C-alpha cells in the first residue's frame, strides 16, 4: 500500500543518511517536498509524505476537493468497512525486541530526549466505545520500551484512565500506513467516532486490518507494527519539538512495555519531521471540515477553508466565500474563530482568490481592505497553548479577522482583475 504510493509520487531521492540528525537535516532542507532515503541504518525511509497534493492523489481526488471530501466522508463514517485479512499475516517478519534500536527511528533535533516515533498511529480498544486511533509522539527509551505523550483532552487519555485499573492497556503502534489512516487518526470526533471506519470512508473501500499477536487488537495494514502494553508507570518524556518548532517541556508520561515487533520485508519507515510542513498539515487539515460546517451555518455561500502553513496549519486561516451581502465577510470571521478555538488570525476572501496561494491572499488584503473598517481585533480571548506569544499564565491571546472581500457598496467592477482572452476573436 505505502510502497505503491511511494513509487507513484514525485519525490526527491537520497542514497543514504544517519538516524541521528541526518534524516531531519534532509527533511528540513526539503520541507514540503516528499523525500525518499534509500538507506538509513539498512532501511528505506520516506518523509514529507503528506502534502495536500499527495493526500488528494492517494484518495483519488483533486486537491481543491479535499476538504469537502472529508466532510462527506465524516458524514459517512458509520458506513466504513473494516476487514481482518488473514492473508496479510504472511507478509510480516517477527523481530526480537532489542531490534527496535536498529530501526531507523530518528533523533530529530539537538535537545531531543532521544529517538522519537512521530508518525506512529496508536490503536487501543474500549469495550464500550470501541476502537480508537490517534497519533502521539513516542520516545524510544534505552531499555527498548517507550514513553508516550498523552494529551489530557484526547480520547486515548480518557480510554487509558478508564481501563488502567486493570493494570495495563493493550496498544499497537502502526508506522507506514495509507495517508487516509494518518488523516483519520488526526481527526477529532466524539469518543464513539471510529477513525478506522472514517479512513475506509475516505478511500471509499474496505480498510484491511491485521490481527496482532500479543495484544487483543486488529490494526491497519502497515510497514511496521509495534505491539505493547501501556502501563501505570510514569517516566520522563521530553524535551521534544512541537508544531511551532519550539521545545515542549519534560513531563511524567505513561510507559509502554513493548511485547512484539513486526515488519514487512523491505519495510519503508515513515519519518515525520516535528514542526515541519507534514506535521502542520496533519494537525491542521482535519480541523478544516469542522470549520467548514461551523462557518457554513452562518454564511451558507461559503466556498472553502484552509489553515495556512505559514500559520503552522493551526493559528492562521483563509476562508473563501461567494459574498451575497455586505456583512458576510465579518460574519464569516466570527464563525471561523468560534469553530476553531485555537485560531488566532483569519482572512476572508472572495471566491476569485486562490486560498492556497499566499500571494493571491495578500493581493486581496492589499487591494480590498480598509484597515479602519475591515479589520476586527478581539483582545483577551482564550487562545492556543501552542502560540509562543500568548499570555500562557492567564491562557489569553488577541485574535484578528481581516475582511478582504470586495465591497458591495462600491460595486465589484472596481475590483475585477483583467484577463487575457483565450482566443484572438
Amino acid at each position: 500500500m505505502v510502497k505503491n504510493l511511494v513509487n507513484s509520487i514525485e519525490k526527491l531521492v537520497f542514497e543514504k543518511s544517519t538516524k541521528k540528525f541526518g534524516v531531519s537535516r534532509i527533511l528540513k532542507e526539503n520541507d514540503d517536498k516528499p523525500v525518499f532515503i534509500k538507506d538509513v541504518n539498512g532501511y528505506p525511509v520516506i518523509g514529507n509524505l503528506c502534502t495536500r497534493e499527495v493526500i488528494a492523489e492517494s484518495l483519488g481526488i483533486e486537491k481543491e476537493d479535499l476538504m469537502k471530501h472529508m466532510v462527506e466522508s465524516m458524514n459517512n463514517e458509520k458506513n466504513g468497512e473494516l476487514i481482518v485479512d488473514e492473508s496479510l499475516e504472511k507478509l510480516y517478519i517477527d523481530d526480537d525486541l532489542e531490534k527496535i534500536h536498529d530501526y531507523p527511528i530518528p533523533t530529530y533535533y539537538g535537545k531531543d530526549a532521544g529517538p522519537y516515533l512521530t508518525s506512529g498511529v496508536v490503536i487501543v480498544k474500549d469495550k464500550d466505545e470501541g476502537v480508537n486511533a490517534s497519533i502521539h509522539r513516542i520516545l524510544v527509551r534505552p531499555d527498548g520500551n517507550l514513553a508516550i505523550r498523552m494529551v489530557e483532552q484526547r480520547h486515548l487519555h480518557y480510554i487509558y484512565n478508564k481501563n488502567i485499573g486493570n493494570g495495563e492497556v493493550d496498544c499497537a503502534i502502526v508506522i507506514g500506513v495509507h495517508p487516509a489512516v494518518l488523516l483519520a487518526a488526526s481527526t477529532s470526533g466524539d469518543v464513539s467516532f471510529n477513525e478506522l471506519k472514517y479512513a475506509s470512508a475516505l478511500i471509499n473501500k474496505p480498510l484491511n486490518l491485521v490481527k496482532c499477536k500479543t495484544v487483543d487488537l486488529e490494526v491497519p495494514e502497515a510497514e511496521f507494527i509495534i505491539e505493547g502494553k501501556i502501563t501505570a508507570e510514569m517516566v520522563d518524556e521530553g524535551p521534544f519539538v512541537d508544531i511551532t518548532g519550539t521545545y515542549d517541556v519534560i513531563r511524567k508520561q505513561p510507559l509502554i512495555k513493548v511485547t512484539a515487533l513486526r515488519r514487512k520485508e523491505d519495510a519503508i519507515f515513515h519519518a515525520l519531521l516535528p514542526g515541519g510542513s507534514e506535521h502542520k498539515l496533519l494537525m491542521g487539515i482535519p480541523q478544516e471540515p469542522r470549520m467548514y460546517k461551523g462557518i457554513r451555518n452562518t454564511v451558507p455561500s461559503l466556498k472553502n477553508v484552509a489553515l495556512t502553513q505559514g500559520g503552522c496549519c493551526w493559528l492562521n486561516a483563509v476562508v473563501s466565500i461567494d459574498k451575497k451581502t455586505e456583512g458576510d465577510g465579518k460574519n464569516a470571521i466570527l464563525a471561523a474563530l468560534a469553530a476553531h478555538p485555537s485560531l488566532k488570525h483569519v482572512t476572508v476572501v472572495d471566491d476569485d482568490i486562490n486560498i492556497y496561494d499566499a500571494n493571491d491572499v495578500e493581493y486581496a488584503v492589499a487591494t480590498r481592505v480598509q484597515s479602519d473598517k475591515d479589520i476586527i481585533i478581539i483582545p483577551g480571548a482564550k487562545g492556543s497553548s501552542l502560540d509562543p506569544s500568548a499570555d500562557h499564565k492567564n491562557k489569553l491571546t488577541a485574535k484578528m479577522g481581516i475582511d478582504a472581500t470586495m465591497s458591495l457598496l462600491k460595486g465589484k467592477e472596481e475590483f475585477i482583475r483583467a484577463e487575457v482572452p483565450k482566443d484572438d476573436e
Side-chain angles (χ1 to χ4, degrees):
M1 187 184 300
V2 172
K3 289 184 177 69
N4 292 339
L5 180 62
V6 170
N7 290 334
S8 70
I9 62 173
E10 185 177 343
K11 56 192 177 294
L12 301 173
V13 178
F14 296 82
E15 290 298 320
K16 193 167 186 175
S17 188
T18 59
K19 295 196 301 179
K20 191 169 184 177
F21 309 142
V23 169
S24 50
R25 271 196 297 269
I26 290 174
L27 296 183
K28 196 166 185 67
E29 289 168 3
N30 300 281
D31 198 22
D32 205 27
K33 301 181 185 69
V35 163
F36 183 72
I37 309 170
K38 293 181 179 179
D39 182 0
V40 179
N41 213 42
Y43 296 88
V45 169
I46 186 74
N48 297 345
L49 175 63
C50 290
T51 64
R52 285 185 188 269
E53 291 79 6
V54 169
I55 292 172
E57 179 181 330
S58 75
L59 301 179
I61 59 174
E62 297 297 321
K63 178 181 75 171
E64 292 75 16
D65 297 328
L66 178 58
M67 191 274 302
K68 291 181 181 178
H69 178 73
M70 288 190 290
V71 171
E72 293 168 359
S73 300
M74 288 182 76
N75 292 337
N76 196 39
E77 168 253 325
K78 299 300 181 188
N79 296 320
E81 294 184 64
L82 308 176
I83 296 177
V84 178
D85 187 347
E86 295 182 358
S87 69
L88 292 175
E89 294 188 19
K90 66 178 181 293
L91 301 178
Y92 288 89
I93 298 168
D94 294 329
D95 281 330
D96 294 333
L97 297 186
E98 62 269 16
K99 187 83 171 177
I100 196 168
H101 295 299
D102 296 330
Y103 286 175
I105 304 170
T107 302
Y108 289 96
Y109 294 100
K111 295 181 181 179
D112 290 0
Y116 262 89
L117 298 168
T118 50
S119 68
V121 176
V122 180
I123 310 293
V124 296
K125 186 164 58 178
D126 178 79
K127 63 182 178 63
D128 300 314
E129 309 298 348
V131 173
N132 177 262
S134 52
I135 300 177
H136 305 262
R137 70 190 198 211
I138 300 171
L139 171 66
V140 181
R141 290 162 48 86
D143 63 4
N145 290 316
L146 312 171
I148 181 169
R149 167 65 174 130
M150 204 180 287
V151 179
E152 287 74 11
Q153 293 81 12
R154 300 282 297 278
H155 293 152
L156 176 61
H157 188 267
Y158 165 76
I159 292 171
Y160 168 77
N161 280 334
K162 181 180 175 184
N163 292 279
I164 195 59
N166 298 326
E168 297 172 327
V169 177
D170 284 359
C171 77
I173 303 156
V174 290
I175 303 152
V177 293
H178 192 285
V181 176
L182 290 169
L183 198 58
S186 303
T187 299
S188 300
D190 63 40
V191 73
S192 67
F193 181 75
N194 190 313
E195 292 85 3
L196 299 187
K197 285 190 174 184
Y198 175 42
S200 168
L202 284 167
I203 59 176
N204 199 28
K205 62 182 180 181
L207 183 69
N208 291 327
L209 305 182
V210 181
K211 189 168 180 59
C212 291
K213 286 192 168 184
T214 60
V215 293
D216 182 24
L217 292 169
E218 295 82 33
V219 301
E221 180 184 353
E223 299 291 295
F224 292 81
I225 301 173
I226 300 175
E227 301 177 16
K229 307 275 188 178
I230 312 178
T231 70
E233 183 179 350
M234 295 289 164
V235 294
D236 284 347
E237 185 279 320
F240 196 60
V241 169
D242 219 321
I243 193 171
T244 54
T246 55
Y247 271 99
D248 198 5
V249 299
I250 299 173
R251 296 179 178 85
K252 291 292 185 182
Q253 295 289 285
L255 175 77
I256 299 177
K257 291 183 179 178
V258 176
T259 56
L261 297 177
R262 304 167 71 193
R263 61 180 170 86
K264 290 183 177 179
E265 188 96 39
D266 300 323
I268 299 174
F269 186 88
H270 181 194
L272 194 154
L273 179 69
S277 293
E278 186 175 23
H279 182 190
K280 295 170 185 174
L281 279 171
L282 285 174
M283 275 195 68
I285 287 179
Q287 303 300 323
E288 292 172 1
R290 185 173 69 178
M291 292 179 65
Y292 183 87
K293 289 181 178 181
I295 300 167
R296 189 173 57 179
N297 286 339
T298 301
V299 183
S301 60
L302 173 69
K303 292 298 183 180
N304 211 342
V305 177
L307 285 157
T308 67
Q309 287 189 211
C312 304
C313 289
W314 198 251
L315 300 174
N316 292 359
V318 182
V319 173
S320 170
I321 64 173
D322 178 10
K323 187 173 180 178
K324 301 296 186 183
T325 65
E326 192 56 34
D328 284 351
K330 292 178 176 59
N331 281 353
I333 288 171
L334 298 175
L337 293 171
H340 179 40
S342 292
L343 193 61
K344 185 177 178 183
H345 305 130
V346 57
T347 304
V348 180
V349 298
D350 298 288
D351 57 357
D352 67 318
I353 299 295
N354 180 359
I355 64 173
Y356 302 110
D357 183 344
N359 288 331
D360 214 26
V361 174
E362 186 177 352
Y363 169 85
V365 173
T367 62
R368 302 177 185 181
V369 171
Q370 286 295 300
S371 300
D372 61 333
K373 300 175 183 177
D374 297 322
I375 295 178
I376 298 172
I377 295 176
I378 304 170
K382 184 178 180 183
S384 172
S385 61
L386 298 177
D387 176 10
S389 72
D391 176 356
H392 293 298
K393 180 180 179 181
N394 297 304
K395 299 181 180 179
L396 297 176
T397 192
K399 301 194 175 191
M400 180 175 70
I402 302 175
D403 181 359
T405 57
M406 293 181 276
S407 169
L408 299 181
L409 300 177
K410 287 177 69 69
K412 289 188 176 182
E413 292 76 13
E414 292 194 35
F415 299 97
I416 294 174
R417 292 184 278 186
E419 294 182 358
V420 177
K422 293 183 180 179
D423 53 50
D424 295 335
E425 297 299 326

